[in-house]
Amino acid sequence: MALKDVVAGVRNEEGIAAVLGILKQSFGERFQTGQSFREQHSHTTSYLPAQLPDGVVFVETSDDVKTVVRACAAHRVPMIPFGTGSSLEGHINAPSGGISVDFTRMNKVLSVNAEDLDCTVEPGITREELNTYLRDTGLFFPIDPGANASIGGMASTRASGTNAVRYGTMKDNVLALTVVTADGEEIRTAQRARKSSAGYDLTRLFVGAEGTLGIITSITLKLQGIPAKISGGVCAFPSLKAACDTVIMTIQMGIPVARIELLDEMQMKAVNAYSKLSYPEKPTLFVEFHGTEETVALQAEQFREIAAEFGSDEFRYTANAEERAQLWKARHNAYWAGRALAPELNGLSTDVCVPISRLADCVAETQADIRETGLLAPIVGHAGDGNFHVLMLFDDKNPADLAKSEAFMARLNARALAMEGTCTGEHGVGQGKMSYLEQELGSAIPVMRSIKKSLDPDNIFNPGKIFRM
Amino acid sequence: MALKDVVAGVRNEEGIAAVLGILKQSFGERFQTGQSFREQHSHTTSYLPAQLPDGVVFVETSDDVKTVVRACAAHRVPMIPFGTGSSLEGHINAPSGGISVDFTRMNKVLSVNAEDLDCTVEPGITREELNTYLRDTGLFFPIDPGANASIGGMASTRASGTNAVRYGTMKDNVLALTVVTADGEEIRTAQRARKSSAGYDLTRLFVGAEGTLGIITSITLKLQGIPAKISGGVCAFPSLKAACDTVIMTIQMGIPVARIELLDEMQMKAVNAYSKLSYPEKPTLFVEFHGTEETVALQAEQFREIAAEFGSDEFRYTANAEERAQLWKARHNAYWAGRALAPELNGLSTDVCVPISRLADCVAETQADIRETGLLAPIVGHAGDGNFHVLMLFDDKNPADLAKSEAFMARLNARALAMEGTCTGEHGVGQGKMSYLEQELGSAIPVMRSIKKSLDPDNIFNPGKIFRM
């Protein structure tokens, strides 16, 4: 169960009071303790209840971060890094109080090395801001988790999204980091070379650590050339299994599809209603191809053949940029479309990921469970990775409804784990998935805990997340 | 300087004596203490002097590994995992004595999931054994460091090789590990799903840790479909800069070349002599393309155009399997070809990696340095990654020659670091590059040391490697 993990931690009142004084002194107007600031920094699109920080500091430089870390370390006060607040598992909650470290103003592009296809940015920049900045270089940063998240937040949750199937996740696209550690010093985890065997892979340790081991202050990212040609399309299927089998075959054939997204019947109904479209309300794949004029046409044709083999309806293919934008806008609005199915209810978006051979089974069993439980819960997935989301809609004022949703979620996670999958493909653990992580990798948690203790002995970096200390 | 890092550590004589007794008792003939076994387990292709272990245990199961770890942990005795002994930086030396843990007999394929394009193997299997096993599945494991290394060793040094430019390094191709930790228990670092945001990325922490944090007992790997068509070729250039510029443009254009290897004039001379070939003795690129009939032809044509733009000679292209095998055999024998330039001398193969925009400068400056120093030192590189090797040939009985080589190596590393590169793209740190790692990532070494201390408080896992405790 997830809600039971949102527990209050022990508050170090004396330390917090001392730090509030120091930060007011150091940051003036850039440090805020008003209720609305504090609420805004723990409010998320999650169903999890907010746990407010005691203050919010708007950092602008690495030195600011060092100042905050030194003050908090001296008084053993928690720090919670904040990007845009789009995380889903309570990552920015402050169960033991402390300081929200807001990176909104620390959002510069520090360098772009077009020849090397890389750039270095501050953590607060959002992926859309970065891509706007890059537009004239012919390069783009591909990772797209849907929300216009900050790059720092995306690194910290090991985010991915629609085109991870082609370009990988944040794990694959961060070349190096600078991080302020518990002693208030800044370290660099790697050089700018494309590969290295030089020592422990600290880059990958901080990517996905959810801010529990240190505070990221800059990120060196791989970039991609904007494809000469992008095309895509929509294809409905007689059954979920047919859609999933099409995905499996596409991946196994090595077709370098850039996006291959699965939407189930309920999700298509929601998309049509929300975006005023008229797609068939059947299990559907949204696909996209990146390459040259010739290669995208070739890929599309190969995909069409596979889809036809599994009995698909017509593959509505387009190389027209406007039609493509409309298609992906509809996909990206899937969350809000889902919520609009029942605007009076709250939503719980959860994600699991299984080996691709088990995707059809896992989604089908989950759909059956949704029907049996009587839930309103559309499914949408990054099918090429075996990763899918269930948006459960429920009345959070109704304990029975909440209990039903959480019991469903427990079954969903158990199902994914039994299929050698993971309790989270891209959302992260935060507070909401601590119990499931325990089920998934219980034997490894003592190792994670040792690392946490060694790098953050006073448990001041985003405490109460990922696992219990 | 590298040799100075090959120092003897403190020996725990009492503990070693106790462990020798226990392992003899537990393993019988599978535990050997004879001189020839001990020598064979510290002999490498490296110039570094051997430091012998006190005994060699031939493990066959995870339980064997647990038995060894428990005995050694109880008596604080070092363990050095051994795969095939092909590492280059003294990784398998035993500076404080202890037990070499030989994985030759722990080399089974535990499972192949063809639908998911993955497999799980024991650490002792070599990459050639694995690919032979996989042949009938239509799949292959792409990472190819040249030597027929063990998968465990490749994971531990974060190996890569000729086709990392297309398929990534071990970092990108290991999905999950099981590892025996200092308490003698086995942990699993991840499930089999393609991506996950579930907790710290322990997989990537153990990959590249050179056996200093625990002993790997199984490895789940990504596999690739064998390409429908493979083609390749050889192209000589009027200058090293022209060859490097061709590489840079090929990567920037996003041509998905599977291999793009640079050999300098001296290396080509060595290759011709060793493999009885008659390539032009000029800076040369060996390239390979993977795809379908159409796509490899398209890629080759794009490459030919770029190479011509930079003034290349004729691009000798072939889709013939036999000619291709001959070409890559010549490339893979580059090390032995280089050694054959002066069979009476010892060899020191070192590697650095720089951002690709700096590759031409770094190689050109290195060549100039070789000329000025009067060294015999061919260069060969995985140019698509900005990674290259220098094979220094020297008389290891002649202190002046050795000092000259080591001074050259220090300049090579300083040059790569100044270009934002790394002191090792794929060989690892071992003993030989400890000083350079310090120069490269000095600020991060305290963090690495904290992690080491937390997971291996008695420093029994491959001590004396990567950094000083």
Side-chain angles (χ1 to χ4, degrees), chain A residues 201-213:
Chain A
D201 190 349
L202 298 183
T203 308
R204 250 54 55 185
L205 182 63
F206 287 105
V207 168
E210 304 187 3
T212 65
L213 298 177

PDB file of all heavy atoms in Angstrom, chain A residues 201-213:
ATOM      1  N   ASP A 201      30.952   4.618 -11.191  1.00  0.00           N
ATOM      2  CA  ASP A 201      30.042   5.385 -12.041  1.00  0.00           C
ATOM      3  C   ASP A 201      29.120   6.236 -11.158  1.00  0.00           C
ATOM      4  O   ASP A 201      27.933   5.946 -10.998  1.00  0.00           O
ATOM      5  CB  ASP A 201      29.233   4.416 -12.911  1.00  0.00           C
ATOM      6  CG  ASP A 201      28.442   5.131 -13.996  1.00  0.00           C
ATOM      7  OD1 ASP A 201      28.344   6.372 -13.943  1.00  0.00           O
ATOM      8  OD2 ASP A 201      27.922   4.434 -14.886  1.00  0.00           O
ATOM      9  N   LEU A 202      29.689   7.300 -10.600  1.00  0.00           N
ATOM     10  CA  LEU A 202      28.900   8.149  -9.697  1.00  0.00           C
ATOM     11  C   LEU A 202      27.782   8.873 -10.456  1.00  0.00           C
ATOM     12  O   LEU A 202      26.747   9.188  -9.874  1.00  0.00           O
ATOM     13  CB  LEU A 202      29.799   9.165  -8.997  1.00  0.00           C
ATOM     14  CG  LEU A 202      30.897   8.573  -8.103  1.00  0.00           C
ATOM     15  CD1 LEU A 202      31.668   9.697  -7.419  1.00  0.00           C
ATOM     16  CD2 LEU A 202      30.310   7.633  -7.051  1.00  0.00           C
ATOM     17  N   THR A 203      28.000   9.113 -11.747  1.00  0.00           N
ATOM     18  CA  THR A 203      26.939   9.760 -12.536  1.00  0.00           C
ATOM     19  C   THR A 203      25.654   8.956 -12.402  1.00  0.00           C
ATOM     20  O   THR A 203      24.598   9.493 -12.050  1.00  0.00           O
ATOM     21  CB  THR A 203      27.366   9.841 -14.021  1.00  0.00           C
ATOM     22  OG1 THR A 203      28.657  10.430 -14.093  1.00  0.00           O
ATOM     23  CG2 THR A 203      26.367  10.653 -14.824  1.00  0.00           C
ATOM     24  N   ARG A 204      25.767   7.652 -12.667  1.00  0.00           N
ATOM     25  CA  ARG A 204      24.578   6.787 -12.622  1.00  0.00           C
ATOM     26  C   ARG A 204      24.085   6.579 -11.183  1.00  0.00           C
ATOM     27  O   ARG A 204      22.938   6.228 -10.958  1.00  0.00           O
ATOM     28  CB  ARG A 204      24.897   5.429 -13.266  1.00  0.00           C
ATOM     29  CG  ARG A 204      24.259   5.101 -14.603  1.00  0.00           C
ATOM     30  CD  ARG A 204      24.413   6.040 -15.712  1.00  0.00           C
ATOM     31  NE  ARG A 204      25.794   6.344 -16.005  1.00  0.00           N
ATOM     32  CZ  ARG A 204      26.184   7.239 -16.903  1.00  0.00           C
ATOM     33  NH1 ARG A 204      25.304   7.939 -17.584  1.00  0.00           N
ATOM     34  NH2 ARG A 204      27.464   7.467 -17.121  1.00  0.00           N
ATOM     35  N   LEU A 205      24.958   6.781 -10.204  1.00  0.00           N
ATOM     36  CA  LEU A 205      24.480   6.646  -8.825  1.00  0.00           C
ATOM     37  C   LEU A 205      23.573   7.832  -8.452  1.00  0.00           C
ATOM     38  O   LEU A 205      22.531   7.651  -7.816  1.00  0.00           O
ATOM     39  CB  LEU A 205      25.666   6.562  -7.851  1.00  0.00           C
ATOM     40  CG  LEU A 205      25.278   6.372  -6.392  1.00  0.00           C
ATOM     41  CD1 LEU A 205      24.558   5.042  -6.179  1.00  0.00           C
ATOM     42  CD2 LEU A 205      26.499   6.456  -5.484  1.00  0.00           C
ATOM     43  N   PHE A 206      23.962   9.043  -8.867  1.00  0.00           N
ATOM     44  CA  PHE A 206      23.136  10.209  -8.542  1.00  0.00           C
ATOM     45  C   PHE A 206      21.884  10.295  -9.431  1.00  0.00           C
ATOM     46  O   PHE A 206      20.857  10.801  -9.004  1.00  0.00           O
ATOM     47  CB  PHE A 206      23.968  11.495  -8.622  1.00  0.00           C
ATOM     48  CG  PHE A 206      24.939  11.654  -7.481  1.00  0.00           C
ATOM     49  CD1 PHE A 206      26.298  11.448  -7.654  1.00  0.00           C
ATOM     50  CD2 PHE A 206      24.485  11.984  -6.206  1.00  0.00           C
ATOM     51  CE1 PHE A 206      27.201  11.581  -6.598  1.00  0.00           C
ATOM     52  CE2 PHE A 206      25.371  12.118  -5.140  1.00  0.00           C
ATOM     53  CZ  PHE A 206      26.733  11.921  -5.336  1.00  0.00           C
ATOM     54  N   VAL A 207      22.003   9.801 -10.685  1.00  0.00           N
ATOM     55  CA  VAL A 207      20.809   9.753 -11.540  1.00  0.00           C
ATOM     56  C   VAL A 207      19.867   8.697 -10.952  1.00  0.00           C
ATOM     57  O   VAL A 207      20.249   7.539 -10.830  1.00  0.00           O
ATOM     58  CB  VAL A 207      21.177   9.396 -13.007  1.00  0.00           C
ATOM     59  CG1 VAL A 207      19.929   9.057 -13.810  1.00  0.00           C
ATOM     60  CG2 VAL A 207      21.948  10.528 -13.664  1.00  0.00           C
ATOM     61  N   GLY A 208      18.690   9.117 -10.556  1.00  0.00           N
ATOM     62  CA  GLY A 208      17.740   8.177  -9.964  1.00  0.00           C
ATOM     63  C   GLY A 208      17.803   8.106  -8.457  1.00  0.00           C
ATOM     64  O   GLY A 208      17.037   7.372  -7.843  1.00  0.00           O
ATOM     65  N   ALA A 209      18.707   8.868  -7.837  1.00  0.00           N
ATOM     66  CA  ALA A 209      18.808   8.843  -6.370  1.00  0.00           C
ATOM     67  C   ALA A 209      17.775   9.768  -5.719  1.00  0.00           C
ATOM     68  O   ALA A 209      17.705   9.855  -4.487  1.00  0.00           O
ATOM     69  CB  ALA A 209      20.215   9.195  -5.917  1.00  0.00           C
ATOM     70  N   GLU A 210      16.977  10.459  -6.535  1.00  0.00           N
ATOM     71  CA  GLU A 210      15.856  11.266  -6.024  1.00  0.00           C
ATOM     72  C   GLU A 210      16.304  12.311  -5.001  1.00  0.00           C
ATOM     73  O   GLU A 210      15.573  12.602  -4.047  1.00  0.00           O
ATOM     74  CB  GLU A 210      14.750  10.353  -5.467  1.00  0.00           C
ATOM     75  CG  GLU A 210      14.271   9.331  -6.510  1.00  0.00           C
ATOM     76  CD  GLU A 210      13.067   8.496  -6.080  1.00  0.00           C
ATOM     77  OE1 GLU A 210      12.537   8.724  -4.974  1.00  0.00           O
ATOM     78  OE2 GLU A 210      12.644   7.619  -6.870  1.00  0.00           O
ATOM     79  N   GLY A 211      17.500  12.830  -5.181  1.00  0.00           N
ATOM     80  CA  GLY A 211      17.983  13.884  -4.282  1.00  0.00           C
ATOM     81  C   GLY A 211      18.341  13.406  -2.894  1.00  0.00           C
ATOM     82  O   GLY A 211      18.536  14.211  -1.980  1.00  0.00           O
ATOM     83  N   THR A 212      18.486  12.083  -2.717  1.00  0.00           N
ATOM     84  CA  THR A 212      18.756  11.567  -1.368  1.00  0.00           C
ATOM     85  C   THR A 212      20.241  11.463  -1.047  1.00  0.00           C
ATOM     86  O   THR A 212      20.600  11.123   0.078  1.00  0.00           O
ATOM     87  CB  THR A 212      18.129  10.162  -1.165  1.00  0.00           C
ATOM     88  OG1 THR A 212      18.782   9.245  -2.062  1.00  0.00           O
ATOM     89  CG2 THR A 212      16.636  10.171  -1.438  1.00  0.00           C
ATOM     90  N   LEU A 213      21.113  11.713  -2.034  1.00  0.00           N
ATOM     91  CA  LEU A 213      22.558  11.548  -1.798  1.00  0.00           C
ATOM     92  C   LEU A 213      23.346  12.846  -1.956  1.00  0.00           C
ATOM     93  O   LEU A 213      24.543  12.880  -1.643  1.00  0.00           O
ATOM     94  CB  LEU A 213      23.134  10.503  -2.773  1.00  0.00           C
ATOM     95  CG  LEU A 213      22.584   9.081  -2.653  1.00  0.00           C
ATOM     96  CD1 LEU A 213      23.186   8.186  -3.732  1.00  0.00           C
ATOM     97  CD2 LEU A 213      22.839   8.495  -1.271  1.00  0.00           C
TER      98      LEU A 213
END
